[in-house]
Amino acid sequence: MVSQFRKTPLALFVTSFVGFTASSSLIAHELQEVSSSTHEHANTEVITVTASPMNRTPLESAQPISILAGDELQEQHAHTLGETLAKMPGVNATHFAGVASSPIIRGLDGPRVKITQNGLDSGDVSRGSPDHAVTTETSVAEQIEVFRGPATLLYGSGAIGGVVNVVDNRIAKDFVGGVRGFYGLGGDTASNRREMTAGVTADHGQSVWHFDAFTRHSGDYDAPTFINEEGESVSSVENSFIDAQGANVGVSYLFESGYLGVSYGRMEQQYGIPGHSHHDHDHDHDHAHDHAHEATHAEGPYADLWQNRVQVHGGWNNPSAAFKQVELRYGFTDYQHQEIEHGVAGTTFGNRQHELRLTATHEAWQGWTGALGYHFFDQEQTAAGAEAYTPDSTTRKHAAFWLLEKEHQQLNWQLGARVEDVQVNERSFTPVSASFGVTYSMNDAWVLSANIAHAQRAPTAAELYSNGAHLATRTYELGLGYELEAVSDHHYHLHQVDRAGRVEKANNIDLGIHLNQQRFHFDWTFFYNRIDDFVYGAYTSINHLELHHEHHHDHDHDHEHDHDHAFHEGLPVIAYTQRDVELYGYELNTSYELSEHWTVALFSDYVRAKTRDGGENLPRIPAQRFGSDLRYQAATWETTLSYIWYNKQNRISHGESVTDSFGLLNAQVNWFPTQLANHNLSVYLKAENLTDELGLVHNSFLKEYAPMRGRNLSIGIRGEF
């Protein structure tokens, strides 16, 4: 695949900045003293969760929370957010060939997993389709916080399955003590990746300035030999290139009782869309778009997206006797995503949204401390072109929430409630969520936790109004507002029905055991999630479809069908439906220091998902996993050998096939030069999938056509100044 990357002004500027920063950091070291730091992994149990106003650590929270930070974040960093978090217990990736992978939490993804940047929605269209990239960038992040299970109290119904919050320092709350910065360079062999990243934060009077940038380019990635969609034996995933760059600038003013800051970010990405074969494309009988397919298909389609993002953060400490702090967060996002075919934008998706969250942390009331707030969200999404399978939509939300916490001896009680008003076009919903949790500190090492949450979610516009070929998932999708009536063999009449969809209602329980000793760490969580009126796309038995459309004015979409006869061959039909389901499973994470130098770690996770009325399996549920790490740490270097086993997934839904088990063997060596210890400098060499094992990911729409990477060697350097 020949890269379609264009040298935009942003790309040229970003490349120049990160290159200059990386080359000049050693000179900066001679001009200032930087406190030394160790190269041990961050202890996630003592890191504060920024996504919650209660300032809890993961151990203090009744809801399961994991944090990826420090050296561990840098080691796991990948192009996509999903791949970065894919080794975290309870989290999988949609694995859309590594170009647009999103996180899956306990078998749930898409509109049920909220992706936020510094507590505000990411502002892209990744929740609607697996081929749409998440626009958060992990190479410049300080930490990533993952809420497993319903987190709707703060973030609304889009977080019924969990939240992933990416935290950076573009708007500083505190002074950094002079000038601080970071840089990194890296590359690999499987995709010929070249990556540079850099950032700097500096105090200036009463203000703190921040700037960061990254640039990343890679080609089609190598894989173990597999059979592609044309029936050929190949050893690379065609059309899986990536070209991405971005930059952020922010400034905050710090005063005696708080801070106020603003930031601006720009991101540009181009990436291939694998498995997007257009011999499956629909052909309307009116030939309105035939000219777009006459040219020879020399190169596969690719995505071209950009995003402008403005955020405003402010905090006011002790504004009155009743309140400890008032915090304001506002974000505006302007986003465009085009799918380019034969040099022409075949489909264009747009998103403009405003989001405002006002939170006030109050003093103790009847022994309960807490935070109450107001949340506003306004989103306008547009879609135009050959694959605009969902209509334009406007989503507006108003919500009020209240979180409470009370400590009594060894118990910490946690309560919360949220009421939301949601409008999707002309449809209105009122989701209500509440939670009750408790942690019990048996002693300094053992903590028991339990959390019960009731969460509700309104259906999205895509789930309500989808009607068209979605070639990224190789399906034809029909929303809740449509029905098919068989006319004859392979001939169907498409009806629009007056079905608004019901609010999903989830009742989830988490039980946890946590042990944190000097040499031994153990974390086990069991969950059970019972969801009424669960919305999902169910495969039908139809894969040879001729549609006869009703010719009428669509009041919801404000447009009229311009054809009444369309033909779709080879695309299985997915019809959104609502069923009562249950999901349950566990997450296990443990580590033990065998000696001063040797540490062994184990993890495992599992999720079972099925309907309650018939025991039918839900589609694309991740397989059970087992993993282990063996680490050796010395004064100036460390090495890790790890292995992850993916069980066979034979609990499949209609339209799926069994996915065989496989295992991945990985190794890494980090070297920390003592001469540059104050730089926190590390040079790393990483080897992934050493045995070149063929791994098919069951939860991927491209399971057969985009397996996991083959043997891959990466080398890079990271440092601070």
Side-chain angles (χ1 to χ4, degrees), residues 404-542:
L404 291 168
E405 183 174 1
K406 182 178 183 179
E407 291 189 18
H408 178 68
Q409 297 179 352
Q410 296 167 286
L411 296 172
N412 182 283
W413 302 93
Q414 301 167 16
L415 302 174
R418 178 188 179 101
V419 179
E420 230 176 318
D421 175 67
V422 180
Q423 287 190 329
V424 183
N425 291 350
E426 283 84 20
R427 308 284 171 84
S428 296
F429 306 89
T430 308
V432 177
S433 302
S435 71
F436 168 73
V438 61
T439 63
Y440 174 59
S441 299
M442 299 175 61
N443 50 45
D444 291 339
W446 286 95
V447 177
L448 305 180
S449 64
N451 192 64
I452 300 174
H454 173 78
Q456 297 184 356
R457 184 184 77 90
T460 65
E463 293 167 330
L464 291 169
Y465 305 123
S466 290
N467 177 17
H470 189 187
L471 297 183
T473 61
R474 312 173 71 84
T475 60
Y476 189 98
E477 296 188 11
L478 286 177
L480 292 168
Y482 293 95
E483 282 185 352
L484 288 176
E485 178 188 357
V487 177
S488 60
D489 288 347
H490 310 307
H491 293 252
Y492 297 86
H493 201 96
L494 181 64
H495 290 283
Q496 187 172 6
V497 295
D498 186 17
R499 184 166 53 201
R502 300 179 297 276
V503 170
E504 281 186 358
K505 296 170 285 293
N507 294 291
N508 183 86
I509 183 170
D510 286 286
L511 300 174
I513 301 175
H514 315 277
L515 173 63
N516 196 26
Q517 295 179 322
Q518 183 176 0
R519 297 179 59 185
F520 184 60
H521 173 79
F522 177 85
D523 194 346
W524 176 87
T525 302
F526 169 80
F527 68 91
Y528 178 81
N529 195 0
R530 184 183 179 97
I531 307 178
D532 296 336
D533 297 319
F534 181 81
V535 182
Y536 71 102
Y539 281 96
T540 68
S541 300
I542 305 170

Side-chain angles (χ1 to χ4, degrees), residues 567-582:
F567 180 67
H568 305 273
E569 183 176 4
L571 291 180
V573 175
I574 285 181
Y576 281 96
T577 185
Q578 292 194 271
R579 301 277 295 277
D580 295 341
V581 305
E582 61 181 3

Side-chain angles (χ1 to χ4, degrees), residues 78 94 221 240 383 425 452 464 561 563 581 685 715:
T94 55
Y221 71 83
S240 60
N425 291 350
I452 300 174
L464 291 169
H561 295 294
H563 62 279
V581 305
L685 177 63
I715 189 170

Side-chain angles (χ1 to χ4, degrees), residues 588-599:
L588 174 66
N589 190 21
T590 181
S591 64
Y592 179 68
E593 292 185 13
L594 300 171
S595 67
E596 179 184 357
H597 300 292
W598 290 96
T599 302

Side-chain angles (χ1 to χ4, degrees), residues 49-125:
V49 181
T50 67
S52 171
M54 306 306 292
N55 294 321
R56 301 177 186 138
T57 67
L59 268 181
E60 295 169 338
S61 174
Q63 180 180 16
I65 300 176
S66 300
I67 296 180
L68 192 63
D71 291 343
E72 190 175 6
L73 171 57
Q74 297 304 318
E75 289 179 10
Q76 301 299 331
H77 157 67
H79 169 66
T80 67
L81 182 61
E83 299 295 331
T84 298
L85 301 174
K87 296 179 182 178
M88 181 178 289
V91 183
N92 294 83
T94 55
H95 189 68
F96 198 84
V99 298
S101 296
S102 297
I104 300 173
I105 299 179
R106 296 177 171 179
L108 302 177
D109 63 346
R112 295 180 181 87
V113 174
K114 190 80 166 178
I115 309 297
T116 61
Q117 184 88 32
N118 299 311
L120 296 174
D121 188 85
S122 59
D124 49 49
V125 295

Side-chain angles (χ1 to χ4, degrees), residues 1-6 79-80 96-102 124-126 129-135 216-220 238-245 267-274 276 300-306 335-341 349 472 702:
M1 175 67 196
V2 179
S3 171
Q4 305 289 334
F5 177 62
R6 294 167 293 136
H79 169 66
T80 67
F96 198 84
V99 298
S101 296
S102 297
D124 49 49
V125 295
S126 64
S129 177
D131 66 320
H132 296 166
V134 178
T135 54
R216 182 180 305 116
H217 314 291
S218 65
D220 296 346
E238 185 180 7
N239 205 31
S240 60
F241 76 93
I242 296 168
D243 288 311
Q245 55 279 323
M267 174 177 284
E268 298 173 356
Q269 284 193 36
Q270 291 182 313
Y271 57 87
I273 306 179
H276 208 326
Y302 66 95
D304 186 357
L305 70 85
W306 55 259
Y335 169 95
Q336 180 180 279
H337 171 115
Q338 292 186 322
E339 295 183 0
I340 311 298
E341 306 173 56
F349 299 91
L702 300 182

